[in-house]
Amino acid sequence: MIKLTGLIKRYPGRTVTANAVDGLDLEIPEGQLVSLLGPSGCGKTTTLRMIAGLERNNGGIIEIDGTVVSDPARRIFYGADRRPIGIVFQSYAIWPHMTVEQNVMFPLTVGRRKIGREAARRRAREALDMVGLADFATRPAPDLSGGQQQRVALARALVREPKVLLLDEPLSNLDKGLRDRMRDQIREVQLQLGITTVFVTHDQDEALAISDQVILMNRGHIVEHGKPQEIYTFPRSEFTARFLGVSNSLDGVATDVTEGHAVVRIGDAELKCAQAEGVRAGDEVSVFLRPESFRLSRREGMWPGTVEFSIYGGDCWDYHVRVGETLHRVRVYQEKVGLKKGDAVFLTPDQDAAIVVLRNSDAVPVVKTAAS
Amino acid sequence: MATLLETPPSTDATKPPVNARLGWRRFVNGRYITLTVASILVAYLALVPVCTMVYASLQSNFLGIGGSHWTLGNYSHTFSEPGFWPLVANSFGYAISTAVVCIVVGFGLAWFVTRTNAPFKGFARAAALVPMIIPGVLNTIAWSLLLSPEQGPVNQALRKIGLPAFDVYSLHGMIFVQAMHVVPIAFLMGTAAFSAMDSSLEEAAMASGASPVRTFFTITIRMVRPAILSAALLMFIQSISTFDVPQLIGVPGHTYVFVSKIYAALQAFPADYGTVGVIGVFVLVIAVVGLVLSRRASRGAAVQTITGKGFKATVQDIGKWRWVGFALFVLFFIIAVVMPIAMLLWSSLLPGYEPPSLHAMHDLSFKNYSNVFHRPVLMKALRNSIIISLSAAIIVTALSAVVAYITVKTKIVGRGVLDTLATIPIAVPSIVMGVGILYFYLSAPLPVHLYGTFAIMIIAFVTITMPYGMRYVVPGMAAIKDELEEAATSSGASWLQGFRRVFVPLLMPSLLASFLYSMIVSFREISAAIFLYTSGTEVVSVQIYDLFRNGTYPVVAALGIVMVIFLVILVAVMQGLSRIFGIKQRH
């Protein structure tokens, strides 16, 4: 279990208002894998490093497994070497002057709870076995490929059986294909050990695929917090919607709201939108539509438009379609012959997939209480 | 989770255990103690000689009997002396010309080695670096023999083919001899700069239609300009502050520069400490201004060359010119290495000095060598040199490792100041260092008298070589990613454990280089040692100078050869060690 209360990090020399992490409250339940997701500079890595004890928080309380490990107000601070953590870095951080086994043994041979060499070796082998690298134990660490090094790093983080596993963009340095396999392996090991895990990433797909819960951060705040499918299907703010790749937005006014459904007037057209939590009649709203939430037809539809740009993406076609002043990004799957620039088409939004949020909803960070 | 390695320190969150508190006790740990001690040591070493020098220059009667008061009299007196401005002109002419010659030769050779397909590069590299092993004082002695106006074999040869003789006892003689000694340093810096260069920038210029020559001048030279500037400055400071060439070549030809003037003023009776202080401060100011300027010039530019991944300095095909490059190397090797060593070797085998001839061959013997080994004074000097330079090298290496850690890896307030302090000695001419240290330990009311001990020499050599040690260790430290230490810390390692098991092994190549360089420099150092030795603490370089002044050329030559052999062995051993400790690093 990890509990953060009012966590604050300031970097000296920057403007006073822009705290890197600004009063973060978060509780991560035992055994869950929680992703900190957000654009670079949103404070996600800083938060992870504060949990690790590699950075000092300027305010707030960090609790790991029921123990306060940092509370500047009460002058409590445990360094990283005294916290029950294991960490995996983006750059692997494998010590190049040691063999694979020596790397993994290291945590067992330092600090206050070191154990004998033979016992350490045995446990290092077990950890390497878990990540499928038992055969590489005696190799010099730099001889391994990037993916293998990252697995060594994982074994090293887990070998002393920490209470908390911290992963700082562990997949970012890997090739695309390898990334998915490594991601699955991390999740597998995490579930098998039932270890509380924090996973920092800027990649929404990674976060959605691996997490029990996703925490979306921006400018040192939590913007949204929820299960992956909730966050994906019900973004509650423009920031979330945009960050999760919803690229079409239309401004309108909510006219009729019933049970989470809203009728939104956009110019002359009216859209019946299924998802409109927290919206009242008369509110100025933005309607977000994913590129794949359109039907495209040459003959009939809601809005007449013109194709301005087309890209073939293998399993799909991406189009920019102009309707009046607005340019829509549209993705169509399973289409053999693509449309060309200048083709006249009709666009019909999929009303069930339209997401309605209050306009300027980013002004106030929307925080959903932690669901366990 | 099964077991937890680190027991939760306390489950009662309201009552933290003592050692987690942020109070003063957190300073009592290996990290803070090590860092504090190193910082204080660096500050002490860097500031004492400089401050003492400034203080002495502002005293009416420094180290004199009777009272002394603050005054600017020394300055007005020294600056208004008729000989002072010619002295400045001589010194500048000497140091600037030497720097220019070194840059042209050193960077030129470096370019051939790193960027062209000139043949036999292994030989070329060795040829350019071997002169480093010949101590300056030996180089000077060898050349003053080779080029002595009447007897020197080179001049005899020149006369034979009808060319005018080259009088070494002149300003251009000084420039030549000093340049032959410091070119390897320029070569090293040039090699580093040329091979750290991203040649795609040059390729881009060529692809834009620039000719190779134009590319060389508009792109290549521009990119290595920071390196050229900092190398030039280093050559300048080295030349303006070393003792051997001005004393052994300048003084006989009545060409005085700062160093020889300071030495003369100290040898005079009564010693003119005020003037020495003024000249010392003057030299110091010049050096500091130069350092600041070259740092400003190299800011920004240096960063560009190391960004971007996977660049490689490519090699150009220069056609037939590659053989010209090779010939230049051979020529340089003959002049800078073969001739001085041969001269020393020749003299060391003769009972008295004779120019090389068939007739003289009959007198060849190893008598001078047995003389060296049977003179207790010389053996003692050899022992002293080894003890002192070894201690200095160990201290410098340890100190640079810690200071480099502070400046590169921590965010401690004042680390910039510490970095500057550790660099200051580079701007302090070693003669100022020697005199400053001498003054301080003569005058300061210390509980222990260090004057006349090894300690004072070690202090001087540590101070002098510290910036160079830092030069090797800082880039090594910067190349170690922060995560490597963080991974150790979050594995539960204390700071000392992390330092010992992660930094030290990864830094080993840099540490060895720092150790080797400090040891060689300390071993052959004379400019500071000449002011600090007393009977009992003589070192080899000082003994060589003394013997030479007394005209005992053959023994000097033999001792010199012994010294060179010792240094060659040292370098070979260290090379072997660094191969063992060399770490295969892929990223």
Side-chain angles (χ1 to χ4, degrees):
Chain A
M1 202 261 314
I2 301 170
K3 192 173 165 195
L4 311 177
T5 317
L7 198 63
I8 290 176
K9 177 69 188 180
R10 274 187 295 274
Y11 285 113
R14 306 227 179 125
T15 43
V16 191
T17 46
N19 283 345
V21 172
D22 193 11
L24 203 78
D25 292 308
L26 178 64
E27 195 174 330
I28 299 171
E30 186 70 36
Q32 287 212 352
L33 192 159
V34 171
S35 294
L36 300 181
L37 175 67
S40 61
C42 72
K44 56 190 192 298
T45 294
T46 308
T47 304
L48 180 106
R49 291 171 59 83
M50 286 192 287
I51 298 172
L54 295 170
E55 305 263 357
R56 274 168 191 260
N57 46 319
N58 300 97
I61 302 168
I62 302 173
E63 248 178 82
I64 297 178
D65 200 37
T67 305
V68 174
V69 292
S70 178
D71 180 3
R74 282 188 296 156
R75 323 193 103 211
I76 299 171
F77 182 81
Y78 287 92
D81 55 323
R82 310 212 32 227
R83 296 187 187 186
I85 54 156
I87 185 165
V88 175
F89 296 92
Q90 180 178 352
S91 65
Y92 323 138
I94 289 299
W95 298 302
H97 58 296
M98 301 182 188
T99 64
V100 168
E101 187 180 69
Q102 284 167 339
N103 264 283
V104 181
M105 277 169 68
F106 184 90
L108 302 172
T109 60
V110 293
R112 288 149 200 249
R113 284 291 190 94
K114 53 181 160 187
I115 59 175
R117 274 200 92 69
E118 270 322 300
R121 192 184 307 273
R122 207 174 49 244
R123 277 180 51 186
R125 293 278 173 145
E126 283 167 18
L128 282 170
D129 206 27
M130 185 169 61
V131 298
L133 285 177
D135 297 342
F136 292 81
T138 54
R139 296 265 195 100
D143 283 1
L144 269 58
S145 70
Q148 289 167 334
Q149 289 197 28
Q150 198 57 298
R151 277 144 72 196
V152 175
L154 183 63
R156 182 178 66 187
L158 291 170
V159 72
R160 61 172 186 154
E161 304 186 343
K163 281 285 170 189
V164 166
L165 178 62
L166 305 170
L167 307 167
D168 185 8
E169 307 227 7
L171 308 175
S172 302
N173 270 7
L174 304 177
D175 297 335
K176 179 81 185 93
L178 200 57
R179 209 179 298 165
D180 294 349
R181 257 185 294 150
M182 183 74 196
R183 181 194 68 201
D184 298 346
Q185 188 172 20
I186 289 177
R187 181 58 160 163
E188 232 169 72
V189 168
Q190 187 267 332
L191 287 173
Q192 185 192 330
L193 298 175
I195 184 171
T196 312
T197 303
V198 182
F199 182 94
V200 162
T201 180
H202 63 265
D203 183 321
Q204 37 149 349
D205 296 334
E206 250 169 58
L208 294 173
I210 203 173
S211 320
D212 291 309
Q213 293 193 44
V214 176
I215 290 157
L216 189 67
M217 291 181 68
N218 190 30
R219 295 182 184 167
H221 293 278
I222 294 180
V223 178
E224 213 155 315
H225 181 173
K227 295 200 169 99
Q229 54 273 42
E230 287 172 3
I231 255 191
Y232 186 78
T233 45
F234 294 105
R236 281 145 195 285
S237 71
E238 192 173 336
F239 175 79
T240 314
R242 290 208 182 278
F243 194 80
L244 295 179
V246 189
S247 44
N248 301 300
S249 84
L250 296 161
D251 289 347
V253 179
T255 52
D256 185 16
V257 182
T258 40
E259 288 169 24
H261 290 249
V263 176
V264 179
R265 171 171 291 282
I266 301 163
D268 299 337
E270 279 198 337
L271 275 186
K272 260 189 223 150
C273 304
Q275 305 160 20
E277 215 175 303
V279 175
R280 285 167 308 179
D283 281 345
E284 296 210 327
V285 295
S286 297
V287 175
F288 282 92
L289 284 160
R290 293 179 193 281
E292 57 269 29
S293 306
F294 287 99
R295 197 155 39 80
L296 200 63
S297 161
R298 287 176 200 263
R299 286 179 300 279
E300 51 173 23
M302 193 181 262
W303 296 323
T306 321
V307 174
E308 288 215 338
F309 190 67
S310 67
I311 295 172
Y312 179 55
D315 56 346
C316 63
W317 280 89
D318 285 327
Y319 300 113
H320 293 183
V321 179
R322 181 171 290 285
V323 178
E325 291 289 292
T326 325
L327 200 62
H328 295 278
R329 283 153 209 278
V330 179
R331 171 169 288 187
V332 181
Y333 288 97
Q334 293 172 337
E335 192 189 54
K336 293 222 171 69
V337 187
L339 295 162
K340 286 186 296 297
K341 187 180 172 179
D343 286 353
V345 290
F346 290 93
L347 267 187
T348 311
D350 175 0
Q351 305 196 4
D352 289 338
I355 302 148
V356 181
V357 298
L358 285 170
R359 216 175 301 164
N360 301 323
S361 56
D362 290 341
V364 187
V366 181
V367 182
K368 202 182 160 194
T369 44
S372 10
Chain B
M1 285 306 299
T3 58
L4 170 65
L5 185 85
E6 197 82 1
T7 346
S10 158
T11 38
D12 181 6
T14 56
K15 232 173 130 194
V18 172
N19 48 6
R21 284 172 190 272
L22 291 175
W24 61 270
R25 279 189 200 83
R26 79 182 160 111
F27 296 109
V28 186
N29 65 43
R31 183 169 190 261
Y32 277 93
I33 293 171
T34 313
L35 302 194
T36 312
V37 168
S39 308
I40 292 172
L41 210 56
V42 166
Y44 175 80
L45 291 173
L47 293 178
V48 158
V50 175
C51 295
T52 313
M53 200 66 153
V54 174
Y55 175 77
S57 75
L58 291 168
Q59 286 294 308
S60 64
N61 192 14
F62 183 72
L63 286 181
I65 304 151
S68 172
H69 56 87
W70 292 89
T71 175
L72 284 172
N74 293 322
Y75 284 87
S76 56
H77 174 73
T78 308
F79 289 160
S80 60
E81 224 175 85
F84 182 72
W85 296 107
L87 179 73
V88 173
N90 268 347
S91 306
F92 269 72
Y94 162 62
I96 290 175
S97 314
T98 309
V100 170
V101 172
C102 288
I103 293 299
V104 172
V105 177
F107 275 65
L109 295 180
W111 183 76
F112 271 114
V113 165
T114 49
R115 305 300 311 278
T116 73
N117 59 343
F120 305 112
K121 284 190 181 169
F123 161 76
R125 258 174 230 278
L129 290 179
V130 167
M132 273 189 103
I133 294 174
I134 307 174
V137 63
L138 284 182
N139 182 58
T140 312
I141 289 171
W143 279 107
S144 67
L145 293 175
L146 280 163
L147 287 173
S148 115
E150 301 302 323
Q151 295 276 311
V154 172
N155 278 330
Q156 287 184 342
L158 285 174
R159 261 194 295 273
K160 222 169 259 174
I161 55 171
L163 288 169
F166 182 90
D167 181 8
V168 74
Y169 298 113
S170 63
L171 195 58
H172 48 268
M174 290 169 68
I175 293 165
F176 171 76
V177 175
Q178 176 68 10
M180 284 306 106
H181 179 54
V182 281
V183 158
I185 301 173
F187 173 80
L188 269 186
M189 295 176 80
T191 318
F194 281 123
S195 40
M197 228 171 90
D198 181 357
S199 38
S200 65
L201 296 176
E202 291 167 303
E203 285 157 7
M206 300 237 241
S208 315
S211 70
V213 175
R214 200 184 152 82
T215 303
F216 180 80
F217 284 104
T218 53
I219 306 289
T220 316
I221 294 285
R222 281 287 310 223
M223 280 170 55
V224 293
R225 196 171 66 179
I228 290 182
L229 282 173
S230 67
L233 179 83
L234 199 67
M235 306 293 104
F236 177 87
I237 294 175
Q238 287 239 336
S239 307
I240 214 159
S241 67
T242 46
F243 172 78
D244 37 42
V245 171
Q247 186 65 26
L248 293 174
I249 292 180
V251 173
H254 304 288
T255 314
Y256 276 88
V257 291
F258 291 135
V259 178
S260 37
K261 183 74 184 170
I262 289 177
Y263 189 65
L266 280 174
Q267 296 285 304
F269 188 81
D272 188 353
Y273 295 116
T275 305
V276 171
V278 171
I279 299 178
V281 170
F282 192 79
V283 175
L284 186 66
V285 168
I286 294 166
V288 168
V289 169
L291 193 72
V292 170
L293 288 181
S294 92
R295 276 208 166 180
R296 183 162 301 172
S298 58
R299 194 169 299 157
V303 181
Q304 288 171 1
T305 51
I306 50 169
T307 54
K309 276 183 184 170
F311 66 77
K312 196 173 177 293
T314 52
V315 162
Q316 277 175 42
D317 189 343
I318 51 168
K320 280 178 198 156
W321 289 96
R322 59 202 290 253
W323 294 104
V324 176
F326 177 64
L328 287 174
F329 267 106
V330 174
L331 185 68
F332 176 77
F333 186 67
I334 290 172
I335 294 176
V337 181
V338 177
M339 284 170 60
I341 297 269
M343 189 68 217
L344 287 178
L345 209 55
W346 173 257
S347 325
S348 75
L349 296 172
L350 286 171
Y353 177 69
E354 281 177 70
S357 66
L358 273 178
H359 170 71
M361 297 282 269
H362 298 290
D363 300 328
L364 293 180
S365 78
F366 285 100
K367 213 162 150 248
N368 292 321
Y369 288 91
S370 75
N371 233 333
V372 168
F373 290 109
H374 287 103
R375 278 204 200 184
V377 188
L378 295 186
M379 289 320 287
K380 196 173 171 202
L382 208 55
R383 207 198 62 193
N384 289 352
S385 276
I386 292 172
I387 293 173
I388 291 170
S389 56
L390 197 65
S391 321
I394 291 170
I395 295 171
V396 164
T397 307
L399 207 55
S400 336
V402 177
V403 174
Y405 175 83
I406 296 176
T407 56
V408 179
K409 293 290 173 201
T410 72
K411 296 191 176 101
I412 293 171
V413 183
R415 64 188 188 283
V417 178
L418 187 65
D419 188 34
T420 311
L421 283 175
T423 332
I424 281 179
I426 224 176
V428 182
S430 25
I431 181 146
V432 175
M433 197 71 78
V435 177
I437 289 173
L438 174 74
Y439 280 11
F440 180 75
Y441 292 98
L442 280 180
S443 64
L446 296 172
V448 199
H449 267 290
L450 293 183
Y451 182 68
T453 63
F454 283 171
I456 198 171
M457 311 271 274
I458 295 172
I459 287 172
F461 293 161
V462 166
T463 317
I464 289 170
T465 52
M466 184 166 62
Y468 301 96
M470 288 284 286
R471 257 183 195 213
Y472 284 106
V473 181
V474 164
M477 188 63 90
I480 299 176
K481 288 194 210 113
D482 292 355
E483 284 92 355
L484 292 180
E485 185 192 17
E486 290 173 356
T489 313
S490 50
S491 297
S494 68
W495 180 79
L496 280 174
Q497 282 171 325
F499 196 82
R500 190 171 59 80
R501 293 188 52 185
V502 173
F503 280 117
V504 172
L506 285 174
L507 274 178
M508 200 43 92
S510 314
L511 294 178
L512 283 173
S514 155
F515 178 86
L516 178 66
Y517 189 86
S518 313
M519 176 129 187
I520 291 177
V521 170
S522 308
F523 196 83
R524 60 183 202 191
E525 214 288 335
I526 184 167
S527 312
I530 195 84
F531 299 104
L532 294 173
Y533 82 95
T534 47
S535 73
T537 61
E538 297 96 340
V539 288
V540 176
S541 54
V542 172
Q543 283 295 349
I544 288 178
Y545 169 73
D546 258 4
L547 289 171
F548 182 75
R549 216 184 34 177
N550 298 334
T552 334
Y553 302 148
V555 183
V556 170
L559 182 57
I561 294 290
V562 171
M563 194 170 172
V564 169
I565 290 172
F566 175 79
L567 287 171
V568 169
I569 292 172
L570 185 67
V571 173
V573 168
M574 295 304 281
Q575 291 277 339
L577 280 182
S578 60
R579 206 158 297 148
I580 294 168
F581 286 106
I583 289 149
K584 199 160 40 161
Q585 238 169 325
R586 221 179 244 178
H587 48 123

